Amino acid sequence: MDRFMKEDQYVEKEINSLPQKKTLSKERQSQILQALRLEHEKMEKQKRKKSIFRWIGSSVLIAAAASLFLLLALQQNDVKDLGEIKQQQPHKQVPAPVETFNDLYKDHPDFQPVFMDFDGSQWAVGEKDVYHLSNRKWTKVTPSGFSYNMNAPETGSAIFPSKERAVIAVQDPATFKATVYSTQDGGVTWSNVTFDEMIFGAKLTAINENDVWLLGIGDGGMGSRGQYIFKSSDGGKKWDKLNEGMTSGTKLDISFIDEKSGFMAIQSDYEGAQYFYSEDSGVTWERKGLPIYPGIEPELQQPLSNPTFFENGSGVFPVKGDQSFLLYETKDNGQTWSADKPVLKTDSYINKVYFYNQSNGWLFTENSIYHTVNGGESWENYSDIPKFPFIHEIHFDSPEKGQILSIENGHSKLFTTEDGGKSWTEKSF
């Protein structure tokens, strides 16, 4: 007796139960039965004790599996094995996400964004409100007590580790204390922690959904400035103070490339560009200097921002020298830096620098945008651009498409480009 006869009977029963307009030919029935047999033989050869069909011991599951594959087979021209059926089954159509923030602006014309989730397009943080995009709808998810000082946007920070997670640090202008709000469920619930220290600026960074650091910039004097380093290992709910003290220079930002290695660029009175480096997750920091760039007065060489790292240990460190731009490179995650790129003489004071990858970077001055496509070997000057107010955030989705969020006198402006920065369009709020 054919050892597959029992299984064949269940399959035939399912075939006979199909609607009349869905009846299968004898040839198609034979194809499906053969496909099921081949799959059974493969599983037996692999000595797998369990399978999606559960041929032994459950006739109900046999029938269900047969029905499933019959429905799939109805959409095929030919069936050779179950692997082919799986590969060719139709994809479920998912509604396309909102591509821009235009729907948010249209529905809430008074919204003034301070931080925007350019990578995921899921979050927008404003002066008094926080919005989250869920099921193609923008929902207000503002935590209780939240407010942001639009006239001093540099005092806070925000990061969005995932579509459901956000960490936002804000400073109370009356008490100079910082509060960190965090959510892990799209803003349905929030946690908040207020630090006792007087913090005049806050910078957040993360390497994953859980490991988050906060640099609290304290009061300054005599060439030094206070710093507080806090770390959270649970996405912003609880924080530990790792470091506190007065150190040289004005802290620009903080970033980590892994759980141990951190960078903190500073502007100081030392000759050459300086930064602090940690190799113990931020508990201790060592001041280091970049090589003196030839041809530029050493005391004028100051970092413009923290270094940016890419794949395979490569990275760039942007530095200014009066109205000159100096670009340092690393190939070992910042252990060593080289100063081999030509000096770029700019037409005015350097405002911001942004690198999308090792090759494509943009330099913003008061009058122009400089763009490189070869890692700083040469630059093209785009002078026919808007006069950007204070540039708060820069983001590029590709070497062509980018956004600038600008804030001045408590009002936001969003500029977008589709041609790598040659021209910009203002988006009104």
Side-chain angles (χ1 to χ4, degrees):
M1 187 177 188
D2 189 345
R3 63 191 179 98
F4 288 101
M5 182 175 293
K6 185 175 182 180
E7 289 77 24
D8 289 356
Q9 291 173 350
Y10 279 109
V11 175
E12 290 172 350
K13 182 179 179 180
E14 291 298 320
I15 292 173
N16 294 331
S17 67
L18 288 172
Q20 186 64 31
K21 64 179 181 179
K22 295 289 186 179
T23 55
L24 300 175
S25 65
K26 291 293 184 181
E27 180 179 359
R28 181 64 62 83
Q29 294 179 33
S30 176
Q31 290 176 357
I32 295 171
L33 291 173
Q34 182 63 22
L36 291 170
R37 291 182 180 185
L38 290 175
E39 187 74 359
H40 186 196
E41 291 174 354
K42 290 178 184 178
M43 291 180 178
E44 283 190 337
K45 289 180 181 179
Q46 295 173 1
K47 296 182 179 180
R48 295 170 64 176
K49 296 181 180 180
K50 295 181 179 180
S51 74
I52 60 174
F53 305 108
R54 297 188 181 275
W55 294 97
I56 300 174
S58 179
S59 60
V60 174
L61 290 180
I62 295 172
S67 178
L68 170 64
F69 285 109
L70 284 171
L71 293 175
L72 290 173
L74 287 172
Q75 302 180 39
Q76 312 300 318
N77 293 325
D78 190 20
V79 180
K80 297 179 181 178
D81 58 49
L82 293 184
E84 182 180 8
I85 295 178
K86 294 175 185 177
Q87 292 174 7
Q88 295 182 9
Q89 61 180 301
H91 295 287
K92 181 180 179 181
Q93 291 188 350
V94 178
V98 176
E99 297 180 353
T100 70
F101 293 93
N102 287 339
D103 286 359
L104 174 61
Y105 306 149
K106 181 174 60 178
D107 295 338
H108 306 278
D110 58 341
F111 180 64
Q112 295 289 321
V114 183
F115 295 102
M116 300 168 73
D117 177 21
F118 288 120
D119 280 321
S121 300
Q122 300 282 338
W123 293 94
V125 179
E127 182 178 17
K128 298 179 180 179
D129 298 308
V130 178
Y131 286 90
H132 180 242
L133 180 63
S134 179
N135 296 323
R136 304 189 77 239
K137 292 183 179 180
W138 285 100
T139 303
K140 184 186 293 187
V141 294
T142 311
S144 177
F146 176 85
S147 66
Y148 205 100
N149 187 0
M150 286 286 289
N151 292 311
E154 71 280 358
T155 60
S157 183
I159 55 173
F160 311 103
S162 73
K163 65 180 181 180
E164 297 296 324
R165 296 196 180 206
V167 185
I168 310 168
V170 298
Q171 180 220 50
D172 186 332
T175 64
F176 298 104
K177 292 185 178 181
T179 299
V180 177
Y181 298 88
S182 63
T183 180
Q184 300 180 5
D185 55 13
V188 177
T189 60
W190 291 86
S191 300
N192 66 81
V193 176
T194 300
F195 302 114
D196 294 330
E197 294 77 9
M198 293 182 65
I199 292 176
F200 295 87
K203 304 291 183 180
L204 288 165
T205 189
I207 58 171
N208 52 45
E209 290 188 349
N210 294 314
D211 294 305
V212 184
W213 287 263
L214 182 142
L215 164 63
I217 301 173
D219 202 0
M222 300 296 291
S224 297
R225 197 168 183 89
Q227 70 180 38
Y228 306 96
I229 309 296
F230 300 89
K231 184 178 187 295
S232 174
S233 299
D234 59 4
K237 292 182 179 180
K238 298 179 181 179
W239 294 84
D240 296 315
K241 186 195 294 184
L242 304 183
N243 181 280
E244 176 182 359
M246 293 286 291
T247 55
S248 60
T250 299
K251 286 73 182 173
L252 300 182
D253 208 344
I254 186 173
S255 59
F256 280 78
I257 56 176
D258 54 41
E259 293 183 359
K260 299 294 185 181
S261 306
F263 291 82
M264 185 164 49
I266 63 171
Q267 294 182 351
S268 67
D269 295 331
Y270 290 94
E271 291 189 349
Q274 305 287 305
Y275 66 97
F276 284 100
Y277 175 73
S278 175
E279 53 186 10
D280 56 10
S281 298
V283 177
T284 61
W285 296 81
E286 178 186 1
R287 183 177 60 82
K288 293 189 174 186
L290 294 172
I292 301 294
Y293 220 100
I296 303 295
E297 295 183 35
E299 61 272 18
L300 297 179
Q301 299 183 27
Q302 302 284 349
L304 281 161
S305 68
N306 254 28
T308 300
F309 291 94
F310 311 107
E311 297 179 351
N312 303 319
S314 63
V316 294
F317 206 147
V319 173
K320 66 178 180 179
D322 194 13
Q323 287 185 201
S324 298
F325 177 66
L326 323 173
L327 187 62
Y328 290 79
E329 285 189 312
T330 183
K331 296 181 179 179
D332 53 14
N333 277 324
Q335 296 302 305
T336 59
W337 296 92
S338 61
D340 301 327
K341 300 297 181 181
V343 174
L344 171 65
K345 295 293 184 179
T346 60
D347 56 9
S348 58
Y349 179 79
I350 301 172
N351 189 346
K352 293 280 187 177
V353 177
Y354 180 92
F355 270 82
Y356 172 76
N357 54 27
Q358 189 79 37
S359 300
N360 284 271
W362 293 263
L363 174 70
F364 298 82
T365 72
E366 183 180 2
N367 302 313
S368 303
I369 295 177
Y370 295 83
H371 180 205
T372 181
V373 296
N374 53 19
E377 292 292 343
S378 61
W379 298 81
E380 186 175 356
N381 184 354
Y382 307 147
S383 57
D384 186 19
I385 61 167
K387 298 298 182 183
F388 298 112
F390 174 74
I391 297 179
H392 187 51
E393 289 192 314
I394 303 172
H395 178 81
F396 274 80
D397 305 306
S398 69
E400 293 77 31
K401 296 182 179 182
Q403 305 91 27
I404 289 178
L405 179 62
S406 180
I407 301 175
E408 186 177 40
N409 298 326
H411 294 282
S412 302
K413 291 184 178 180
L414 178 66
F415 299 88
T416 62
T417 182
E418 301 282 337
D419 54 14
K422 293 180 181 179
S423 61
W424 295 82
T425 302
E426 180 179 346
K427 302 289 186 179
S428 298
F429 298 136

